[in-house]
Amino acid sequence: MQIPELQLIAAAADADGALLLPVLAGDEPALLAADDYGLTAERLRRLDATGKAGRATRVLVGDGDEERTALLIGVGDERDAESLRRAGGVAARALGADTAAVLDLGAAAAEELEAFATGFALGAHKLDRYVTNDSEDDDEPAGERALSLIGEGDEAAAAVERAGVLAEAVCLARDLANTPSNDLVPEDFAQIAVERAEALGIEVEVWDEPRLADEGCGGLIGVGQGSANPPRLVRLSWSPAEAADAPHVALVGKGITFDTGGLSLKPPASMVGMKFDMSGAASVLASITAIARLGIPVRVSGWLCLAENMPSAHSIKPDDVLRMRGGTTVEVTNTDAEGRLVLADGLVLASEAKPDVIIDIATLTGAAIIALGNRTTGVMGNEETWRERVLAAAGTTGEAMWSMPIPEEIADRLDSNVADLVNAKPGDRAAGMLFAAAFLERFVGDDDRGEPIPWVHLDIAGPADNGGGAHGYTPKGATGVPVRTLVETVAALAR
Ligand code: BES
Ligand code: ZN
Ligand code: ZN
């Protein structure tokens, strides 16, 4: 789906559409707009437009020919970027059938316009490709939209443009993740990656099954071999000339286009939603497209580990041993712990280029949801500097993340009687998210000095999809987390 058109205008009269008027809560509700539109604190109170976050109140302002629909959008108690982003999302949903809107945020900073515009574009998004009879309701906006923001200057214009680029990237990740697996097998995903990359001058290469076998990628081959739709590995590289001396960030994404669990079959209820199991790879592709479009002078490589995890006569079986890229052998004790198998190859491949950091993104464990719930990404890794950079970026973007340890005693549980490692410890469900991270850590290579390459692991099993109702700028279904944080982490390196 297209994102709304975003543009900067000088005055409310310069564009059609409903006025969006953010209201700050507090002792007295306060309109943040340049004009008061006759909306005194007293009138706001009578309208029950208290500024409460999430609230949208429709009123008419002006008289006669000047009369215009306005939406009073609650911002909550704090005027910060995240509150404005959420207000933008609420506004987009509350607009209903109206297609155009004008934001009056008074004397707003460029970042504030960017925040509202980003939230608006993200809140307006939904997957309508499969809906034949698109009924209107408050939760599900439809139609082409446009947002004009009152503001001026190059900085504001650049901020609004950036909002559009970021929103488009997030929506690309969402559209991919929302696409059911009958329309998105590894080959389809790889094809889309090639098209997107080529359009932006991003180098791209796809490895098919024979090539993966030649290259020793036993994880991708093993997980993919049970499916009629063979696995793929996509390598992306954004390396602008001016970034020759800039840091090199490698992004590795779990791209299981559907996770049945394989022969360790998931029960029916747990299988629903497993089309989202490629959200990590989608976020990697989407982030790189945004980084390229923004022209950020940092080197970024992306590794999409794509496979479909199916039970069949060809599937890997419990007790099988796989030889991963680089030679490490893994005893498969549970074929449903497949994400770590495909990521093992991806991490080894990413390490071979000796990047300054590897960040992997994966809907890796149900345990992440048990530990952190449905909205927070678990952040693990092997050193502090880069982990803090990612967490700082998440603080800027408003994507919830929380640091988790990889306790040393977990490593003992990786021991296998027949191979180097097991992929899961049967009967031991303690700290499943941390166990998975400890497994991945074994595939992170060393730098030129023989030190482990800095590595950050993001378990997005919770926040990748929103199974509840729409809120703020987050619609139902795929969320596009953590695209904005990945882009911000990279952008911060160039400042
Ligand atoms: N894709 C799942 C993790 C998942 C579960 C993501 C729920 C989103 C929502 C992953 O491949 C998986 O099945 N993990 C197993 C690992 C276990 C077998 C060691 C899990 O978490 O149960
Ligand atoms: Zn699984
Ligand atoms: Zn999975």
PDB file of all heavy atoms in Angstrom, residues 118-147:
ATOM      1  N   THR A 118       5.586  10.981  10.381  1.00  0.00           N
ATOM      2  CA  THR A 118       5.924   9.548  10.417  1.00  0.00           C
ATOM      3  C   THR A 118       4.765   8.766  11.015  1.00  0.00           C
ATOM      4  O   THR A 118       4.321   7.751  10.461  1.00  0.00           O
ATOM      5  CB  THR A 118       7.197   9.316  11.263  1.00  0.00           C
ATOM      6  OG1 THR A 118       8.247  10.132  10.756  1.00  0.00           O
ATOM      7  CG2 THR A 118       7.621   7.862  11.239  1.00  0.00           C
ATOM      8  N   GLY A 119       4.271   9.233  12.156  1.00  0.00           N
ATOM      9  CA  GLY A 119       3.167   8.541  12.820  1.00  0.00           C
ATOM     10  C   GLY A 119       1.927   8.490  11.952  1.00  0.00           C
ATOM     11  O   GLY A 119       1.239   7.471  11.884  1.00  0.00           O
ATOM     12  N   PHE A 120       1.660   9.599  11.271  1.00  0.00           N
ATOM     13  CA  PHE A 120       0.481   9.660  10.399  1.00  0.00           C
ATOM     14  C   PHE A 120       0.607   8.624   9.281  1.00  0.00           C
ATOM     15  O   PHE A 120      -0.314   7.843   9.025  1.00  0.00           O
ATOM     16  CB  PHE A 120       0.335  11.067   9.814  1.00  0.00           C
ATOM     17  CG  PHE A 120      -0.924  11.273   9.017  1.00  0.00           C
ATOM     18  CD1 PHE A 120      -2.082  11.725   9.633  1.00  0.00           C
ATOM     19  CD2 PHE A 120      -0.952  11.011   7.651  1.00  0.00           C
ATOM     20  CE1 PHE A 120      -3.254  11.918   8.900  1.00  0.00           C
ATOM     21  CE2 PHE A 120      -2.119  11.199   6.911  1.00  0.00           C
ATOM     22  CZ  PHE A 120      -3.272  11.656   7.543  1.00  0.00           C
ATOM     23  N   ALA A 121       1.753   8.629   8.630  1.00  0.00           N
ATOM     24  CA  ALA A 121       1.951   7.700   7.506  1.00  0.00           C
ATOM     25  C   ALA A 121       1.904   6.254   7.988  1.00  0.00           C
ATOM     26  O   ALA A 121       1.348   5.379   7.320  1.00  0.00           O
ATOM     27  CB  ALA A 121       3.277   7.991   6.810  1.00  0.00           C
ATOM     28  N   LEU A 122       2.467   5.998   9.167  1.00  0.00           N
ATOM     29  CA  LEU A 122       2.475   4.625   9.686  1.00  0.00           C
ATOM     30  C   LEU A 122       1.090   4.207  10.169  1.00  0.00           C
ATOM     31  O   LEU A 122       0.682   3.058  10.022  1.00  0.00           O
ATOM     32  CB  LEU A 122       3.486   4.487  10.819  1.00  0.00           C
ATOM     33  CG  LEU A 122       4.942   4.628  10.395  1.00  0.00           C
ATOM     34  CD1 LEU A 122       5.867   4.512  11.599  1.00  0.00           C
ATOM     35  CD2 LEU A 122       5.298   3.570   9.347  1.00  0.00           C
ATOM     36  N   GLY A 123       0.345   5.152  10.754  1.00  0.00           N
ATOM     37  CA  GLY A 123      -0.989   4.838  11.269  1.00  0.00           C
ATOM     38  C   GLY A 123      -1.990   4.608  10.159  1.00  0.00           C
ATOM     39  O   GLY A 123      -2.984   3.908  10.332  1.00  0.00           O
ATOM     40  N   ALA A 124      -1.729   5.213   8.999  1.00  0.00           N
ATOM     41  CA  ALA A 124      -2.659   5.089   7.873  1.00  0.00           C
ATOM     42  C   ALA A 124      -2.499   3.760   7.143  1.00  0.00           C
ATOM     43  O   ALA A 124      -3.345   3.384   6.346  1.00  0.00           O
ATOM     44  CB  ALA A 124      -2.433   6.234   6.884  1.00  0.00           C
ATOM     45  N   HIS A 125      -1.417   3.059   7.423  1.00  0.00           N
ATOM     46  CA  HIS A 125      -1.091   1.868   6.640  1.00  0.00           C
ATOM     47  C   HIS A 125      -1.905   0.641   7.044  1.00  0.00           C
ATOM     48  O   HIS A 125      -2.149   0.407   8.212  1.00  0.00           O
ATOM     49  CB  HIS A 125       0.406   1.557   6.834  1.00  0.00           C
ATOM     50  CG  HIS A 125       0.854   0.331   6.119  1.00  0.00           C
ATOM     51  ND1 HIS A 125       1.022  -0.879   6.750  1.00  0.00           N
ATOM     52  CD2 HIS A 125       1.163   0.110   4.818  1.00  0.00           C
ATOM     53  CE1 HIS A 125       1.420  -1.780   5.864  1.00  0.00           C
ATOM     54  NE2 HIS A 125       1.516  -1.205   4.690  1.00  0.00           N
ATOM     55  N   LYS A 126      -2.325  -0.103   6.063  1.00  0.00           N
ATOM     56  CA  LYS A 126      -2.893  -1.425   6.351  1.00  0.00           C
ATOM     57  C   LYS A 126      -2.757  -2.311   5.135  1.00  0.00           C
ATOM     58  O   LYS A 126      -2.528  -1.841   4.020  1.00  0.00           O
ATOM     59  CB  LYS A 126      -4.348  -1.322   6.774  1.00  0.00           C
ATOM     60  CG  LYS A 126      -5.305  -0.943   5.659  1.00  0.00           C
ATOM     61  CD  LYS A 126      -6.727  -1.164   6.154  1.00  0.00           C
ATOM     62  CE  LYS A 126      -7.715  -1.042   5.040  1.00  0.00           C
ATOM     63  NZ  LYS A 126      -9.039  -1.475   5.408  1.00  0.00           N
ATOM     64  N   LEU A 127      -2.885  -3.599   5.367  1.00  0.00           N
ATOM     65  CA  LEU A 127      -2.791  -4.540   4.251  1.00  0.00           C
ATOM     66  C   LEU A 127      -4.186  -4.733   3.673  1.00  0.00           C
ATOM     67  O   LEU A 127      -5.029  -5.376   4.272  1.00  0.00           O
ATOM     68  CB  LEU A 127      -2.235  -5.878   4.717  1.00  0.00           C
ATOM     69  CG  LEU A 127      -2.069  -6.892   3.585  1.00  0.00           C
ATOM     70  CD1 LEU A 127      -0.787  -6.663   2.816  1.00  0.00           C
ATOM     71  CD2 LEU A 127      -2.105  -8.306   4.107  1.00  0.00           C
ATOM     72  N   ASP A 128      -4.452  -4.136   2.522  1.00  0.00           N
ATOM     73  CA  ASP A 128      -5.795  -4.271   1.952  1.00  0.00           C
ATOM     74  C   ASP A 128      -5.802  -5.143   0.705  1.00  0.00           C
ATOM     75  O   ASP A 128      -6.810  -5.302   0.045  1.00  0.00           O
ATOM     76  CB  ASP A 128      -6.409  -2.895   1.654  1.00  0.00           C
ATOM     77  CG  ASP A 128      -5.441  -1.968   0.942  1.00  0.00           C
ATOM     78  OD1 ASP A 128      -4.422  -2.476   0.422  1.00  0.00           O
ATOM     79  OD2 ASP A 128      -5.679  -0.757   0.918  1.00  0.00           O
ATOM     80  N   ARG A 129      -4.655  -5.759   0.421  1.00  0.00           N
ATOM     81  CA  ARG A 129      -4.527  -6.518  -0.817  1.00  0.00           C
ATOM     82  C   ARG A 129      -5.526  -7.674  -0.924  1.00  0.00           C
ATOM     83  O   ARG A 129      -5.949  -8.033  -2.000  1.00  0.00           O
ATOM     84  CB  ARG A 129      -3.096  -7.049  -0.855  1.00  0.00           C
ATOM     85  CG  ARG A 129      -2.744  -7.830  -2.076  1.00  0.00           C
ATOM     86  CD  ARG A 129      -1.242  -8.115  -2.085  1.00  0.00           C
ATOM     87  NE  ARG A 129      -0.972  -9.255  -2.922  1.00  0.00           N
ATOM     88  CZ  ARG A 129       0.137  -9.959  -2.883  1.00  0.00           C
ATOM     89  NH1 ARG A 129       1.092  -9.626  -2.025  1.00  0.00           N
ATOM     90  NH2 ARG A 129       0.313 -10.973  -3.670  1.00  0.00           N
ATOM     91  N   TYR A 130      -5.888  -8.253   0.193  1.00  0.00           N
ATOM     92  CA  TYR A 130      -6.725  -9.462   0.142  1.00  0.00           C
ATOM     93  C   TYR A 130      -8.175  -9.205   0.512  1.00  0.00           C
ATOM     94  O   TYR A 130      -8.955 -10.138   0.600  1.00  0.00           O
ATOM     95  CB  TYR A 130      -6.143 -10.521   1.081  1.00  0.00           C
ATOM     96  CG  TYR A 130      -4.770 -10.959   0.656  1.00  0.00           C
ATOM     97  CD1 TYR A 130      -3.634 -10.413   1.245  1.00  0.00           C
ATOM     98  CD2 TYR A 130      -4.615 -11.882  -0.373  1.00  0.00           C
ATOM     99  CE1 TYR A 130      -2.367 -10.797   0.829  1.00  0.00           C
ATOM    100  CE2 TYR A 130      -3.355 -12.267  -0.789  1.00  0.00           C
ATOM    101  CZ  TYR A 130      -2.230 -11.724  -0.186  1.00  0.00           C
ATOM    102  OH  TYR A 130      -0.991 -12.095  -0.599  1.00  0.00           O
ATOM    103  N   VAL A 131      -8.498  -7.934   0.776  1.00  0.00           N
ATOM    104  CA  VAL A 131      -9.863  -7.636   1.214  1.00  0.00           C
ATOM    105  C   VAL A 131     -10.675  -7.195   0.008  1.00  0.00           C
ATOM    106  O   VAL A 131     -10.364  -6.183  -0.613  1.00  0.00           O
ATOM    107  CB  VAL A 131      -9.857  -6.548   2.300  1.00  0.00           C
ATOM    108  CG1 VAL A 131     -11.280  -6.289   2.789  1.00  0.00           C
ATOM    109  CG2 VAL A 131      -8.955  -6.976   3.455  1.00  0.00           C
ATOM    110  N   THR A 132     -11.716  -7.974  -0.318  1.00  0.00           N
ATOM    111  CA  THR A 132     -12.489  -7.644  -1.517  1.00  0.00           C
ATOM    112  C   THR A 132     -13.562  -6.616  -1.222  1.00  0.00           C
ATOM    113  O   THR A 132     -13.895  -5.798  -2.052  1.00  0.00           O
ATOM    114  CB  THR A 132     -13.160  -8.899  -2.107  1.00  0.00           C
ATOM    115  OG1 THR A 132     -13.895  -9.523  -1.071  1.00  0.00           O
ATOM    116  CG2 THR A 132     -12.129  -9.839  -2.672  1.00  0.00           C
ATOM    117  N   ASN A 133     -14.106  -6.638  -0.002  1.00  0.00           N
ATOM    118  CA  ASN A 133     -15.172  -5.698   0.325  1.00  0.00           C
ATOM    119  C   ASN A 133     -14.710  -4.865   1.505  1.00  0.00           C
ATOM    120  O   ASN A 133     -14.876  -5.223   2.656  1.00  0.00           O
ATOM    121  CB  ASN A 133     -16.453  -6.458   0.665  1.00  0.00           C
ATOM    122  CG  ASN A 133     -17.610  -5.513   0.891  1.00  0.00           C
ATOM    123  OD1 ASN A 133     -17.479  -4.310   0.672  1.00  0.00           O
ATOM    124  ND2 ASN A 133     -18.722  -6.055   1.323  1.00  0.00           N
ATOM    125  N   ASP A 134     -14.093  -3.726   1.187  1.00  0.00           N
ATOM    126  CA  ASP A 134     -13.381  -2.968   2.206  1.00  0.00           C
ATOM    127  C   ASP A 134     -14.328  -2.062   2.979  1.00  0.00           C
ATOM    128  O   ASP A 134     -14.640  -0.969   2.562  1.00  0.00           O
ATOM    129  CB  ASP A 134     -12.319  -2.131   1.486  1.00  0.00           C
ATOM    130  CG  ASP A 134     -11.174  -1.809   2.408  1.00  0.00           C
ATOM    131  OD1 ASP A 134     -11.305  -2.124   3.600  1.00  0.00           O
ATOM    132  OD2 ASP A 134     -10.177  -1.263   1.936  1.00  0.00           O
ATOM    133  N   SER A 135     -14.820  -2.541   4.098  1.00  0.00           N
ATOM    134  CA  SER A 135     -15.751  -1.711   4.875  1.00  0.00           C
ATOM    135  C   SER A 135     -14.960  -0.741   5.744  1.00  0.00           C
ATOM    136  O   SER A 135     -13.876  -1.032   6.219  1.00  0.00           O
ATOM    137  CB  SER A 135     -16.633  -2.594   5.743  1.00  0.00           C
ATOM    138  OG  SER A 135     -15.845  -3.231   6.711  1.00  0.00           O
ATOM    139  N   GLU A 136     -15.536   0.423   5.952  1.00  0.00           N
ATOM    140  CA  GLU A 136     -14.891   1.466   6.753  1.00  0.00           C
ATOM    141  C   GLU A 136     -15.183   1.230   8.227  1.00  0.00           C
ATOM    142  O   GLU A 136     -16.310   1.043   8.625  1.00  0.00           O
ATOM    143  CB  GLU A 136     -15.494   2.817   6.373  1.00  0.00           C
ATOM    144  CG  GLU A 136     -14.926   3.397   5.116  1.00  0.00           C
ATOM    145  CD  GLU A 136     -13.559   4.025   5.353  1.00  0.00           C
ATOM    146  OE1 GLU A 136     -13.357   4.604   6.430  1.00  0.00           O
ATOM    147  OE2 GLU A 136     -12.703   3.907   4.465  1.00  0.00           O
ATOM    148  N   ASP A 137     -14.176   1.226   9.055  1.00  0.00           N
ATOM    149  CA  ASP A 137     -14.448   1.367  10.482  1.00  0.00           C
ATOM    150  C   ASP A 137     -13.284   2.129  11.093  1.00  0.00           C
ATOM    151  O   ASP A 137     -12.269   2.349  10.457  1.00  0.00           O
ATOM    152  CB  ASP A 137     -14.735   0.023  11.167  1.00  0.00           C
ATOM    153  CG  ASP A 137     -13.512  -0.857  11.286  1.00  0.00           C
ATOM    154  OD1 ASP A 137     -12.455  -0.343  11.666  1.00  0.00           O
ATOM    155  OD2 ASP A 137     -13.622  -2.066  11.027  1.00  0.00           O
ATOM    156  N   ASP A 138     -13.456   2.562  12.321  1.00  0.00           N
ATOM    157  CA  ASP A 138     -12.480   3.455  12.930  1.00  0.00           C
ATOM    158  C   ASP A 138     -11.096   2.852  13.019  1.00  0.00           C
ATOM    159  O   ASP A 138     -10.098   3.547  12.994  1.00  0.00           O
ATOM    160  CB  ASP A 138     -12.941   3.832  14.348  1.00  0.00           C
ATOM    161  CG  ASP A 138     -14.030   4.877  14.290  1.00  0.00           C
ATOM    162  OD1 ASP A 138     -14.308   5.354  13.174  1.00  0.00           O
ATOM    163  OD2 ASP A 138     -14.591   5.196  15.343  1.00  0.00           O
ATOM    164  N   ASP A 139     -11.067   1.548  13.138  1.00  0.00           N
ATOM    165  CA  ASP A 139      -9.801   0.874  13.348  1.00  0.00           C
ATOM    166  C   ASP A 139      -9.032   0.651  12.065  1.00  0.00           C
ATOM    167  O   ASP A 139      -7.853   0.376  12.076  1.00  0.00           O
ATOM    168  CB  ASP A 139     -10.106  -0.494  13.974  1.00  0.00           C
ATOM    169  CG  ASP A 139      -9.436  -0.616  15.320  1.00  0.00           C
ATOM    170  OD1 ASP A 139      -9.067   0.427  15.866  1.00  0.00           O
ATOM    171  OD2 ASP A 139      -9.298  -1.754  15.785  1.00  0.00           O
ATOM    172  N   GLU A 140      -9.744   0.744  10.947  1.00  0.00           N
ATOM    173  CA  GLU A 140      -9.167   0.314   9.679  1.00  0.00           C
ATOM    174  C   GLU A 140      -9.302   1.390   8.621  1.00  0.00           C
ATOM    175  O   GLU A 140     -10.267   1.417   7.876  1.00  0.00           O
ATOM    176  CB  GLU A 140      -9.887  -0.953   9.200  1.00  0.00           C
ATOM    177  CG  GLU A 140      -9.718  -2.149  10.115  1.00  0.00           C
ATOM    178  CD  GLU A 140      -8.341  -2.768  10.014  1.00  0.00           C
ATOM    179  OE1 GLU A 140      -7.725  -2.688   8.941  1.00  0.00           O
ATOM    180  OE2 GLU A 140      -7.866  -3.313  11.012  1.00  0.00           O
ATOM    181  N   PRO A 141      -8.380   2.312   8.554  1.00  0.00           N
ATOM    182  CA  PRO A 141      -8.496   3.372   7.566  1.00  0.00           C
ATOM    183  C   PRO A 141      -8.358   2.827   6.152  1.00  0.00           C
ATOM    184  O   PRO A 141      -7.744   1.796   5.937  1.00  0.00           O
ATOM    185  CB  PRO A 141      -7.333   4.296   7.893  1.00  0.00           C
ATOM    186  CG  PRO A 141      -6.332   3.423   8.552  1.00  0.00           C
ATOM    187  CD  PRO A 141      -7.097   2.350   9.273  1.00  0.00           C
ATOM    188  N   ALA A 142      -8.955   3.501   5.205  1.00  0.00           N
ATOM    189  CA  ALA A 142      -8.830   3.081   3.808  1.00  0.00           C
ATOM    190  C   ALA A 142      -8.717   4.309   2.924  1.00  0.00           C
ATOM    191  O   ALA A 142      -8.999   5.422   3.348  1.00  0.00           O
ATOM    192  CB  ALA A 142     -10.041   2.258   3.399  1.00  0.00           C
ATOM    193  N   GLY A 143      -8.335   4.115   1.698  1.00  0.00           N
ATOM    194  CA  GLY A 143      -8.308   5.227   0.741  1.00  0.00           C
ATOM    195  C   GLY A 143      -6.966   5.920   0.693  1.00  0.00           C
ATOM    196  O   GLY A 143      -6.134   5.783   1.575  1.00  0.00           O
ATOM    197  N   GLU A 144      -6.783   6.683  -0.374  1.00  0.00           N
ATOM    198  CA  GLU A 144      -5.551   7.450  -0.520  1.00  0.00           C
ATOM    199  C   GLU A 144      -5.611   8.640   0.429  1.00  0.00           C
ATOM    200  O   GLU A 144      -6.636   9.262   0.610  1.00  0.00           O
ATOM    201  CB  GLU A 144      -5.429   7.943  -1.961  1.00  0.00           C
ATOM    202  CG  GLU A 144      -5.301   6.817  -2.975  1.00  0.00           C
ATOM    203  CD  GLU A 144      -4.154   5.876  -2.665  1.00  0.00           C
ATOM    204  OE1 GLU A 144      -3.055   6.361  -2.322  1.00  0.00           O
ATOM    205  OE2 GLU A 144      -4.342   4.656  -2.746  1.00  0.00           O
ATOM    206  N   ARG A 145      -4.510   8.979   1.013  1.00  0.00           N
ATOM    207  CA  ARG A 145      -4.496  10.052   1.981  1.00  0.00           C
ATOM    208  C   ARG A 145      -3.406  11.049   1.649  1.00  0.00           C
ATOM    209  O   ARG A 145      -2.443  10.725   0.982  1.00  0.00           O
ATOM    210  CB  ARG A 145      -4.186   9.508   3.371  1.00  0.00           C
ATOM    211  CG  ARG A 145      -5.295   8.748   3.930  1.00  0.00           C
ATOM    212  CD  ARG A 145      -4.823   7.803   4.982  1.00  0.00           C
ATOM    213  NE  ARG A 145      -5.981   7.019   5.360  1.00  0.00           N
ATOM    214  CZ  ARG A 145      -6.906   7.462   6.189  1.00  0.00           C
ATOM    215  NH1 ARG A 145      -6.795   8.629   6.769  1.00  0.00           N
ATOM    216  NH2 ARG A 145      -7.959   6.729   6.460  1.00  0.00           N
ATOM    217  N   ALA A 146      -3.570  12.252   2.191  1.00  0.00           N
ATOM    218  CA  ALA A 146      -2.516  13.241   2.064  1.00  0.00           C
ATOM    219  C   ALA A 146      -2.459  14.029   3.358  1.00  0.00           C
ATOM    220  O   ALA A 146      -3.482  14.269   3.995  1.00  0.00           O
ATOM    221  CB  ALA A 146      -2.817  14.170   0.900  1.00  0.00           C
ATOM    222  N   LEU A 147      -1.257  14.374   3.767  1.00  0.00           N
ATOM    223  CA  LEU A 147      -1.090  15.220   4.954  1.00  0.00           C
ATOM    224  C   LEU A 147      -0.245  16.427   4.565  1.00  0.00           C
ATOM    225  O   LEU A 147       0.877  16.275   4.069  1.00  0.00           O
ATOM    226  CB  LEU A 147      -0.400  14.446   6.080  1.00  0.00           C
ATOM    227  CG  LEU A 147      -0.038  15.282   7.313  1.00  0.00           C
ATOM    228  CD1 LEU A 147      -1.301  15.777   8.026  1.00  0.00           C
ATOM    229  CD2 LEU A 147       0.825  14.472   8.287  1.00  0.00           C
TER     230      LEU A 147
END
